């Protein structure tokens, strides 16, 4: 039935009547037309569980101030340019098409209705016959190349399931030089991939279809290509500028059986929310609400999400409610999901609360349990409970004081890629943080905790937090070292007229400079290289500063940086850190030798 039988042109009735109870939704009937015809819609109310077949649209809203006029229920309605383009692209020439699009099917001006619908948005997409992903125009004319690459990849992967069974492509494989990969890079730069809500939209679909220019292809097939690039052909990322967020392949499915599809079925809600910080949304609360449809964020009895969406609630209250849930589920791993910028660390708000809208680093070291880090060895503690003052009481071993900091940018400005280095003349290069670290670790005035013949080893491993392709770099240190030497020799040759290559002798095997750069970027972007008073090398929080304390919180897998407050034993949590040589319980093994003591700390 129509939303209102009297809603015709000139009617004084509102376009929307509030939908605040049960699963009653609006569907839109898109009338047929040619590409240049006006867009005409009719809205109808249906009970979701008894709805006719419909397709749900996934798209990027775009600017709310730049609109185009359509007709809805016989009256004018302004919609964003992107939604207008999607409706034109999806419209049939000779018959109606029944769709669901959030901007029209939810009264966006009614806060309570928005809150109510967000609570079961996952069901709306799950019940859809198809999910239609509208990527917009094809800016470089490469959509057909993308389709061809996807089809060729399906042939290549035949008989190889999962992708981990496939061979890693060598750096000199001609497949890496295929110019069509640049068209894939252009597609993956589309704004759609950076938006928070789209994960749920495609995650609930059985086989979402991507509309890109004039081409249509399977979203699932595209994800298979991304998964293969990350695991087997990472050099494509540097050579062709292919960039994508791993969350799309790690959280591709949102159905109840998502673990059977996931490369990492052991993931928890903390893993999910931590990886999702890099996604954007207009409403800060949506950094939580956009992910409540995933099974990990649903109540066990199936009655709805663990947090009831409420757009009238204060954003910080939403974050604190979420943090309390995460602590109960994941304990001290939750602290590794906390990041701060200069403004949030200064706020009168608990520093231990996970904030979905602060995202600086690519990789939270202490969240995923698959990493080798065990800074507090086998110590196990109960999940901390916030006090009435919203503080956390913990046991800690203070390791050292930060002496020097070298801040890396949240992009590759400091950690230049091999291709960027090759494009520069040495005389034009301006020293960046990475160059200053290199200079200072060679200075006799800079303390060094490590033997002189292991100084560069410690430096190389610290830059990538001891990881290569998510595995422990020291398990095949010869390969890591060859990759580091290849990158650093290139860096020195391209940034200095008379580079010193002492200690960087090439071995029998030529290293892969692109692999080291990827490892360094994954761990280093958005962090700072730290040197402590005792000479430890650390990869720590972006906002760390001299005088901050490096410590091991008992029960946590990685060390942390704390900042003193005016109140005794009260500290602000600055963030997690990698401390070379102290990531596998060494602090507890050498407490007496190094004069360490266990203390009570209060994180406020």
């Amino acid at each position: 039935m129509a939303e209102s039988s009297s809603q015709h042109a000139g009617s004084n009735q509102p376009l929307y009547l509030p939908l605040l109870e049960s699963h009653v939704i609006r569907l839109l009937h898109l009338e047929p037309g040619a590409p240049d015809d006006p867009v005409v819609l009719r809205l109808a109310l249906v009970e979701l569980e008894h709805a006719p077949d419909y397709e749900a649209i996934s798209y990027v809203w775009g600017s709310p101030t730049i609109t185009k006029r359509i007709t809805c229920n016989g009256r004018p309605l302004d919609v964003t340019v992107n939604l207008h383009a999607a409706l034109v692209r999806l419209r049939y020439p000779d018959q109606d098409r029944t769709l669901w699009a959030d901007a029209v099917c939810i009264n966006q001006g009614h806060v309570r209705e928005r809150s109510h619908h967000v609570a079961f948005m996952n069901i709306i997409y799950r019940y859809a016959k198809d999910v239609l992903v509208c990527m917009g125009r094809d800016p470089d004319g490469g959509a057909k190349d993308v389709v061809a690459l996807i089809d060729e990849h399906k042939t290549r992967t035949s008989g190889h399931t999962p992708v981990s069974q496939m061979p890693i492509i060598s750096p000199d494989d001609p497949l890496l030089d295929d110019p069509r990969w640049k068209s894939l890079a252009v597609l993956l730069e589309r704004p759609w991939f950076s938006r928070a809500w789209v994960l749920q939209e495609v995650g609930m679909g059985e086989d979402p279809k991507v509309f890109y220019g004039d081409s249509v292809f399977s979203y699932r097939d595209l994800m298979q290509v991304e998964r293969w690039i990350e695991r087997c052909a990472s050099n494509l990322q540097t050579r062709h500028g292919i960039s994508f967020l791993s969350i799309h392949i790690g959280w591709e499915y949102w159905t109840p059986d998502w673990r059977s599809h996931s490369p990492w079925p052991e993931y928890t809600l903390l893993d999910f929310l931590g990886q999702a910080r890099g996604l954007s949304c207009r409403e800060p609360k949506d950094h939580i609400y956009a992910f409540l449809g995933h099974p990990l964020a649903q109540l066990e009895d199936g009655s709805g999400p663990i947090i009831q969406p409420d757009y009238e609630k204060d954003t910080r209250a939403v974050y604190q409610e979420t943090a309390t849930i995460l602590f109960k589920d994941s304990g001290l791993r939750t602290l590794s999901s906390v990041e701060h910028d200069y403004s949030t660390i200064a706020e009168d708000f608990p520093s231990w609360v996970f904030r979905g809208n602060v995202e600086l680093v690519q990789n939270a070291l202490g969240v995923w349990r698959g990493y080798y880090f065990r800074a507090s060895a086998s110590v196990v503690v109960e999940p901390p409970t916030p006090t009435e003052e919203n503080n956390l009481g913990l046991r800690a071993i203070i390791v050292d004081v930060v002496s020097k900091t070298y801040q890396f940018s949240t992009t590759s400005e400091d950690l230049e890629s091999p291709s960027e280095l090759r494009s520069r003349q040495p005389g034009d290069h301006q020293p960046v943080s990475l160059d200053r670290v290199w200079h200072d670790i060679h200075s006799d005035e800079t303390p060094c905790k490590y033997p002189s013949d292991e100084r560069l080893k410690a430096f190389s491993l610290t830059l990538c937090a001891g990881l290569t392709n998510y595995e422990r770099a020291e398990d095949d240190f010869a390969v890591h070292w060859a990759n580091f030497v290849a990158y650093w020799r290139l860096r020195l040759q391209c940034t200095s007229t008379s580079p010193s290559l002492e200690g960087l002798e090439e071995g029998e095997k030529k290293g892969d400079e692109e692999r080291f750069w990827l490892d360094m970027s994954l761990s280093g972007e958005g962090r700072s290289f730290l040197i402590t008073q005792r000479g430890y090398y650390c990869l720590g929080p972006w906002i760390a500063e001299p005088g901050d304390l490096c410590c091991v919180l008992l029960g946590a897998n990685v060390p942390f940086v704390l900042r003193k407050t005016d109140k005794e034993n009260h500290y602000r949590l600055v963030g997690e850190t990698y401390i070379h040589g102290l990531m596998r319980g060494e602090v507890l093994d050498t407490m007496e030798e190094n004069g360490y003591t266990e203390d009570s700390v209060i994180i406020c």
Side-chain angles (χ1 to χ4, degrees), residues 315-517:
T315 299
R316 297 199 301 186
V318 175
Y319 289 159
Q320 185 158 347
E321 182 180 357
T322 304
T324 302
I325 293 172
L326 292 175
F327 269 113
K328 291 179 181 178
D329 180 59
S330 299
L332 290 185
R333 288 196 303 128
T334 305
L335 295 180
S336 283
S337 70
V338 176
E339 288 191 76
H340 283 292
D341 55 28
Y342 288 115
S343 62
T344 62
I345 193 65
E347 289 180 6
D348 183 18
F349 188 68
S351 63
W352 50 265
V353 170
F354 165 85
R355 295 169 179 260
N357 60 345
V358 179
E359 192 268 339
L360 300 171
V361 305
Q362 295 188 51
N363 183 24
L365 305 176
V367 171
W368 187 40
R369 287 176 291 197
Y371 286 146
Y372 72 89
F373 307 129
R374 297 294 182 270
S376 47
S378 58
V379 175
V380 178
V381 299
E382 290 295 319
T385 301
T387 66
E388 292 183 1
E389 295 80 18
N390 283 325
N391 296 330
L392 293 180
L394 302 171
R395 302 294 294 173
I397 299 171
I398 305 298
V399 173
D400 208 353
V401 180
V402 174
S403 176
K404 294 186 176 185
T405 64
Y406 308 82
Q407 193 177 67
F408 297 145
S409 69
T410 54
T411 63
S412 60
E413 295 172 10
D414 296 296
L415 310 175
E416 297 103 324
S417 70
S419 60
E420 289 175 307
L421 292 171
R422 294 188 186 100
S423 68
R424 296 181 180 177
Q425 296 296 322
D428 297 333
H429 179 75
Q430 297 297 318
V432 293
S433 293
L434 193 52
D435 302 306
R436 289 188 281 273
V437 180
W438 175 259
H439 174 272
D440 285 0
I441 65 170
H442 286 83
S443 170
D444 292 337
E445 297 180 1
T446 302
C448 181
K449 181 71 174 177
Y450 316 101
S452 58
D453 60 343
E454 294 188 9
R455 173 174 46 84
L456 288 184
K457 171 185 175 180
F459 174 64
S460 72
L461 289 167
T462 303
L463 286 177
C464 60
L467 299 170
T468 180
N469 201 20
Y470 300 97
E471 302 291 339
R472 189 171 74 163
E474 289 179 277
D475 286 345
D476 196 344
F477 182 74
V479 171
H480 161 82
W481 180 253
N483 295 344
F484 166 74
V485 169
Y487 175 82
W488 213 262
R489 287 175 68 91
L490 173 65
R491 184 177 187 87
L492 292 178
Q493 290 164 357
C494 294
T495 60
S496 173
T497 54
S498 56
S500 171
L501 301 179
E502 182 181 353
L504 295 174
E505 293 78 14
E506 293 180 307
E508 296 181 1
K509 181 177 179 180
K510 185 181 185 304
D512 183 353
E513 63 270 18
E514 292 173 335
R515 178 69 260 170
F516 180 78
W517 176 77

Side-chain angles (χ1 to χ4, degrees), residues 200-219:
Q200 175 174 250
E201 294 161 5
V202 291
M204 287 294 173
E206 181 176 347
D207 185 19
K209 295 177 175 59
V210 178
F211 290 74
Y212 180 45
D214 295 330
S215 298
V216 182
F217 51 88
S218 166
Y219 173 79

Side-chain angles (χ1 to χ4, degrees), residues 90-120:
L90 298 175
R91 178 171 53 185
Y92 289 134
D94 55 359
Q95 61 179 321
D96 282 6
R97 192 165 195 171
T98 304
L99 302 168
W100 189 89
D102 55 359
V104 175
C105 295
I106 299 175
N107 183 357
Q108 299 297 327
H110 197 294
V111 176
R112 288 181 59 203
E113 181 174 304
R114 284 173 56 210
S115 301
H116 172 64
H117 276 69
V118 164
F120 66 96

